[in-house]
Amino acid sequence: MNATTVARVDPSNHAEVERIAPSIAAIVGAINAEGGDNALPASMTAGDVGALIQRLGERGGLFYCREGDDVVAFATVAVDPQEPETAVMGTWVHPKHRRKGLGTELARYGAEFAGEGGYAKLRGTIPASNEPALSFFSSIGPIVRLEGGGMGYELPV
């Protein structure tokens, strides 16, 4: 495997946002081409990704995993609007780069960010058909419970 790097996009660094946004949009396109429930919008432009990064703000963030020179996965951490002490995380890996531990690495990074940011819990939903995602979230120690057709996870942070 190529050397991997996991980092958070600095929302105030417009050059970084512009540089990373097309790669994130391409990952969204590749995942959506597979079909199925993935909690992503039907399409995302680089502008949409930039707007998302700004909305996530300082208490949240967009994280990416670079394998060599290519951005191949990303995660988001956002404040739960119903529970400000809870963060909500989503993690997505380009289909060609799955089963390499990249999602696990991003999830660990997001959980660490949430803990350092003062959140008490980290929560998310995994589509019922996504057993690999359930596997990698289980590897970082979540409490998993059934939730309306999918699997919900919750981690104390």
Side-chain angles (χ1 to χ4, degrees):
M1 179 166 84
N2 293 327
T4 59
T5 304
V6 176
R8 178 177 179 256
V9 177
D10 178 354
S12 67
N13 184 337
H14 299 294
E16 181 182 21
V17 171
E18 287 181 22
R19 187 175 60 251
I20 205 77
S23 297
I24 302 303
I27 293 168
V28 169
I31 292 169
N32 281 334
E34 293 181 307
D37 181 15
N38 59 35
L40 291 169
S43 66
M44 268 183 126
T45 66
D48 295 333
V49 174
L52 170 63
I53 292 167
Q54 295 308 311
R55 277 193 315 274
L56 292 170
E58 291 301 319
R59 278 205 75 209
L62 187 139
F63 307 88
Y64 64 90
C65 184
R66 185 181 300 277
E67 192 171 50
D69 293 332
D70 300 321
V71 175
V72 297
F74 73 100
T76 59
V77 173
V79 179
D80 183 326
Q82 305 303 314
E83 296 181 44
E85 75 284 354
T86 299
V88 179
M89 181 169 62
T91 306
W92 300 272
V93 179
H94 191 288
K96 292 181 181 177
H97 295 274
R98 292 180 180 149
R99 310 301 294 169
K100 298 179 181 181
L102 304 175
T104 301
E105 195 62 30
L106 275 167
R108 285 188 178 133
Y109 199 92
E112 185 175 304
F113 173 83
E116 291 172 358
Y119 291 104
K121 296 182 277 186
L122 183 63
R123 180 179 294 154
T125 302
I126 304 165
S129 61
N130 196 337
E131 287 296 322
L134 180 58
S135 173
F136 81 68
F137 279 112
S138 294
S139 75
I140 61 171
I143 302 165
V144 179
R145 64 190 188 285
L146 203 51
E147 204 177 79
M151 295 295 292
Y153 66 88
E154 187 173 284
L155 292 163
V157 289

